[in-house]
Amino acid sequence: MQAQRNPRRCIDSVRSGGKALLLSVLLLASGIACAAPPQPISLQLRWLHQFQFAGYYAAKQQGYYQEAGLDVEIVAGSPQRRSVNEVLSGRADFAVANSEVLYHRLQGRPLVALAAIFQHSASAFLVKQQSGIRSPQDFVGRRLMMINTEANIELVGVLGKEGLDPDSVEIIDSSFNINDLINDRTDIFSSYITNEPYLLSELNIPYNVISPASYGIDFYSDVLFTTEAMLEKSPDVVRAFRAASLRGWSYALQYPEEIIQLIKDEYASNKSLKHLRFEAGKTRELIMPDLIQIGHMNPGRWRHMADTFVSEGFIEPGYSLEGFLYDPYEEPDYSGWLKAIAGLLGIIVLFSAVSVFLYRFNRKLHRQIERRERAEKDSSRQKSLFVAIFNSTPDATILCDTEGTILMCNPAFTRTFGYQADEITGQTADSLCEDKECCVAQGLLQTQSANLATPISYEMNYRRKNNEVFPCEVQGCRIDRDQEVLGLLLVIRDITLQKQTQAEITRLAMTDSLTDLANRYHFEQSLQETISLAKRNDQQVSLALMDLDFFKQVNDLHGHAVGDAVLLHAASVLKKTFRQSDLIARIGGDEFAILMYAPDSPEFARVPAERVIKELSSPIIIDGHEISIGASFGVATYPTDTDNQKDLLIYADVALYDSKNRGRNCCTLYEKKQEDINQLAPE
């Protein structure tokens, strides 16, 4: 927009010159400039307001759109408001979507990709660890909740790439509600790694993420796009909107806390600040602003995505990407005009035609020289960029020749393995493996594959220079040119902390925090598994329930600190009395359960139970107080008393109740009574 002018200053200036006509013209021009409003533009997001779209909020809040002469309305998405449909229908000028942009383009719809904000796809399969699902092969016979195919092509592509029959997986329309996974209404949930994993972590639910990238499918995500009509009608608006948006993304990644607060205050996000910070961190990992220019699009990678669509049967071969990728630096093509002028001049005079020919030849030669110089500079920049990326990669990275011999390594490799570059160069990559028969490098180099550059993931143990063995996640891919293998790139990540953290999370989820015994959740899981094992092996299982007598009086008279000490004492007595193979759990305040596999008889549990009763009946001294309690036991045995898990719990509780009625401090084995039979009989 032109700067606003001062009409009075213009009038004074014109009067001094005595030019009334010039005054009128200036006033008219000033009025037009002042009256020109910003051009209204609508941006359709693909989902609700969250940090996933932080760059656009920042561009608006910082005035970048206004400086470009644009008044931008940012519209939230929903299951009913799909971004591709909104742009194609003309209800939105610009929008954000995933790989579906390419899919619709190859289906003949006139979409144009302006910038790829996420360099890696955020889409992934999410499963609970207890489901036992570790890979797509485990999906068979399971329920998979996901959005339609075109919105999740990379996820559907994983199923095809792994050779799964679509009918072998029960696909359910997504409810967009993670509670369906939590409450076991589905086994697999299509998710965004910037969002749903946080919700499971907050609930302390162990989970696994199955990423398409681990199976050779890594698409661009959160692509900013428009239509050919918009680009043809308003190329300056498209260029200005794209530049302002990328400028906004740069600001948002530099000042995430400011934009997080903006999302809460101005866009009424229902996410907590902690959730938005988690999303901001994951978003930065997907954008990779420290290594790649924000919005960068590689034509070769788009072709790879299109080839994946073809191989999985989404589109027919023979596609064309012409006109799909926007180039903000593209210059107008004047060759037609130059030919027309040359033709006219040729008709007028032969000498002029020769002159034009020589001029064009000289210009063409000059351009060829410029292109060659530019190509050399680009090659030099690419080499420098490769070295910079290679050296700054946070994971240990090595480059090998076609024999698997290490040619170079990055600083992260030295930090991880302890070898200096001159110590490891010339050795084979497989010599670093703990398993000496493991041939990862040779396997990657020798495996026949149509796509030589497809990354393959492994998990295995490696050995450091100091002989310490540690677990690693390995990503390996071959480097090729014209179908010729040139070498191998291996990226090795130390996952020791990840493994330890996961083990600790699992332990905490299964353990009572006070007594360090199994908790109720662990007990219920083990009860089901133990009875299943007993059925297969024709064995017995005894379940003993123990309740501390007079424990409430201890809490009431001496406080919860003394009560906790009593519980710890009881847990210690149980652990030293029962077998190491028995599962001991605290399932309530002062309630304990002992699960005994393969006892000699139902009477087997009585002996350790009575030892515990005897020891707990002796007074103990805690903080100067003499504490007297007791313990009552109830025991039921599978399959002597019942072959049903639920009834086994009920019968053990009935036996415990009988012990209480008999005066406490005793152990009662369940004896089926007529009222119990009547209670279980069908009506």
Side-chain angles (χ1 to χ4, degrees):
M1 279 190 357
Q2 299 179 16
Q4 182 174 349
R5 301 182 182 178
N6 188 326
R8 175 55 55 192
R9 186 178 299 172
C10 294
I11 292 172
D12 294 340
S13 175
V14 172
R15 281 179 176 172
S16 65
K19 298 181 180 179
L21 180 59
L22 179 60
L23 168 63
S24 300
V25 173
L26 289 174
L27 284 173
L28 179 60
S30 176
I32 293 173
C34 294
Q39 180 170 341
I41 291 294
S42 62
L43 169 64
Q44 177 64 56
L45 305 180
R46 70 183 305 267
W47 197 237
L48 306 177
H49 291 302
Q50 51 194 3
F51 198 88
Q52 179 183 353
F53 312 111
Y56 309 111
Y57 308 137
K60 185 168 183 176
Q61 190 260 354
Q62 291 299 309
Y64 300 155
Y65 289 139
Q66 186 177 6
E67 291 175 14
L70 306 175
D71 180 13
V72 178
E73 177 189 13
I74 303 176
V75 182
S78 69
Q80 295 75 35
R81 196 181 186 100
R82 309 299 297 171
S83 55
V84 170
N85 295 339
E86 294 300 302
V87 168
L88 289 174
S89 66
R91 292 188 292 271
D93 301 301
F94 300 91
V96 179
N98 285 350
S99 56
E100 60 196 286
V101 177
L102 176 61
Y103 173 77
H104 284 284
R105 173 70 189 206
L106 297 178
Q107 292 291 328
R109 299 176 182 92
L111 302 180
V112 179
L114 303 178
I117 303 303
F118 287 8
Q119 295 298 311
H120 299 288
S121 174
S123 297
F125 296 113
L126 197 61
V127 299
K128 292 197 293 187
Q129 279 192 3
Q130 69 180 50
S131 69
I133 298 173
R134 298 292 182 269
S135 72
Q137 299 298 332
D138 299 326
F139 288 8
V140 175
R142 302 298 187 102
R143 297 162 297 172
L144 165 58
M145 182 173 282
M146 63 187 297
I147 317 173
N148 57 52
T149 298
E150 65 186 48
N152 271 305
I153 291 180
E154 54 263 66
L155 297 183
V156 177
V158 170
L159 304 183
K161 201 173 185 66
E162 291 300 294
L164 294 180
D165 184 345
D167 294 333
S168 67
V169 182
E170 181 185 350
I171 298 180
I172 309 169
D173 288 339
S174 181
S175 64
F176 305 95
N177 189 341
I178 191 63
N179 285 323
D180 284 334
L181 179 65
I182 294 172
N183 296 322
D184 296 323
R185 286 189 285 271
T186 184
D187 304 302
I188 311 138
F189 191 84
S190 66
S191 72
Y192 238 51
I193 61 174
T194 59
N195 189 34
E196 284 83 5
Y198 171 83
L199 300 174
L200 295 183
S201 297
E202 282 293 286
L203 295 172
N204 293 321
I205 298 176
Y207 62 88
N208 291 329
V209 174
I210 300 175
S211 172
S214 299
Y215 299 90
I217 298 180
D218 190 8
F219 290 173
Y220 284 131
S221 182
D222 278 51
V223 178
L224 180 64
F225 69 98
T226 186
T227 61
E228 288 182 344
M230 182 67 180
L231 182 59
E232 183 177 351
K233 173 186 172 184
S234 305
D236 292 339
V237 170
V238 173
R239 184 180 295 107
F241 179 80
R242 178 185 183 275
S245 298
L246 297 184
R247 189 179 173 195
W249 268 112
S250 179
Y251 187 91
L253 296 176
Q254 189 174 1
Y255 304 104
E257 284 296 324
E258 178 183 337
I259 304 306
I260 286 172
Q261 197 60 53
L262 173 69
I263 295 171
K264 291 292 291 183
D265 295 342
E266 300 295 331
Y267 295 92
S269 173
N270 60 1
K271 292 185 175 181
S272 66
L273 292 176
K274 189 176 179 181
H275 193 168
L276 288 170
R277 290 188 184 105
F278 173 88
E279 187 185 9
K282 291 294 182 182
T283 296
R284 185 178 185 89
E285 291 177 10
L286 294 170
I287 295 176
M288 303 174 65
D290 299 324
L291 296 177
I292 299 176
Q293 184 180 11
I294 298 175
H296 172 72
M297 298 190 297
N298 186 327
R301 192 166 172 197
W302 281 109
R303 285 193 294 273
H304 171 67
M305 290 170 61
D307 289 339
T308 302
F309 290 0
V310 172
S311 65
E312 298 305 322
F314 294 120
I315 63 168
E316 297 296 326
Y319 64 84
S320 172
L321 295 182
E322 184 177 357
F324 173 59
L325 301 182
Y326 174 69
D327 183 0
Y329 309 108
E330 184 177 358
E331 298 180 358
D333 185 5
Y334 297 112
S335 59
W337 287 98
L338 291 174
K339 291 179 181 178
I341 293 172
L344 290 173
L345 292 176
I347 295 173
I348 295 171
V349 60
L350 180 60
F351 178 76
S352 298
V354 173
S355 298
V356 171
F357 171 78
L358 292 175
Y359 166 76
R360 292 180 63 192
F361 177 81
N362 182 62
R363 188 175 180 183
K364 183 177 180 181
L365 181 61
H366 182 66
R367 286 178 176 173
Q368 288 178 341
I369 294 173
E370 285 182 340
R371 280 198 295 268
R372 181 175 298 174
E373 291 176 347
R374 196 159 50 239
E376 291 175 353
K377 290 180 180 178
D378 288 344
S379 176
S380 177
R381 279 197 298 268
Q382 289 174 359
K383 290 179 181 177
S384 299
L385 180 61
F386 168 77
V387 173
I389 293 174
F390 186 85
N391 287 334
S392 61
T393 301
D395 296 321
T397 307
I398 55 178
L399 185 65
C400 305
D401 62 13
T402 55
E403 300 299 321
T405 303
I406 299 173
L407 300 177
M408 59 186 297
C409 64
N410 68 346
F413 178 89
T414 297
R415 293 193 299 270
T416 302
F417 283 83
Y419 292 100
Q420 297 299 322
D422 58 351
E423 294 178 301
I424 199 64
T425 301
Q427 296 190 37
T428 62
D430 290 335
S431 66
L432 298 170
C433 299
E434 165 63 9
D435 183 359
K436 296 307 179 183
E437 296 182 3
C438 175
C439 300
V440 175
Q442 288 300 323
L444 284 169
L445 289 166
Q446 296 171 7
T447 299
Q448 298 297 319
S449 173
N451 188 350
L452 299 177
T454 299
I456 301 177
S457 297
Y458 296 87
E459 187 173 312
M460 61 186 60
N461 292 330
Y462 275 74
R463 185 180 292 276
R464 305 187 209 272
K465 183 180 178 180
N466 63 3
N467 284 327
E468 177 188 356
V469 177
F470 63 108
C472 292
E473 182 184 59
V474 188
Q475 289 274 345
C477 68
R478 290 182 291 188
I479 304 168
D480 74 290
R481 181 179 59 199
D482 299 327
Q483 299 298 309
E484 178 187 1
V485 179
L486 302 179
L488 178 69
L489 187 69
L490 289 179
V491 179
I492 305 170
R493 174 174 296 177
D494 184 348
I495 57 173
T496 302
L497 182 59
Q498 178 182 333
K499 290 283 189 182
Q500 292 172 346
T501 302
Q502 192 60 58
E504 181 62 12
I505 290 173
T506 302
R507 188 191 71 80
L508 292 174
M510 307 289 277
T511 305
D512 175 59
S513 58
L514 175 64
T515 63
D516 207 34
L517 298 174
N519 60 14
R520 189 180 193 93
Y521 174 79
H522 189 182
F523 164 73
E524 290 174 350
Q525 294 289 104
S526 298
L527 177 59
Q528 181 178 355
E529 294 169 0
T530 304
I531 289 180
S532 297
L533 180 63
K535 284 182 180 179
R536 289 195 302 271
N537 297 335
D538 195 24
Q539 292 286 352
Q540 296 187 101
V541 176
S542 286
L543 170 61
L545 297 182
M546 184 192 87
D547 194 36
L548 295 182
D549 300 328
F550 312 111
F551 180 76
K552 185 177 184 302
Q553 296 177 15
V554 174
N555 274 338
D556 292 343
L557 292 174
H558 305 292
H560 289 284
V562 172
D564 287 348
V566 171
L567 291 172
L568 286 170
H569 173 66
S572 174
V573 171
L574 288 169
K575 283 191 284 189
K576 73 181 183 181
T577 304
F578 283 87
R579 301 177 302 179
Q580 287 188 352
S581 60
D582 297 334
L583 176 75
I584 305 173
R586 182 188 175 205
I587 60 174
D590 62 333
E591 298 173 70
F592 296 80
I594 302 94
L595 193 59
M596 291 162 276
Y597 179 77
D600 296 333
S601 68
E603 287 285 336
F604 177 87
R606 188 186 295 279
V607 175
E610 289 179 347
R611 288 178 188 164
V612 171
I613 292 170
K614 180 179 180 181
E615 184 157 353
L616 291 181
S617 64
S618 301
I620 55 175
I621 306 299
I622 300 176
D623 290 343
H625 303 288
E626 183 177 280
I627 308 298
S628 294
I629 59 170
S632 298
F633 277 85
V635 181
T637 300
Y638 164 91
T640 304
D641 298 323
T642 178
D643 61 355
N644 180 283
Q645 172 185 333
K646 180 180 177 182
D647 293 341
L648 189 67
L649 274 167
I650 293 174
Y651 290 166
D653 195 57
V654 168
L656 175 60
Y657 188 77
D658 286 345
S659 291
K660 296 283 188 181
N661 288 338
R662 290 168 54 195
R664 308 175 189 268
N665 253 26
C666 63
C667 174
T668 302
L669 303 186
Y670 175 75
E671 294 180 3
K672 187 168 293 189
K673 306 171 186 175
Q674 185 60 44
E675 54 266 28
D676 296 332
I677 298 173
N678 294 338
Q679 181 180 357
L680 295 174
E683 296 182 359

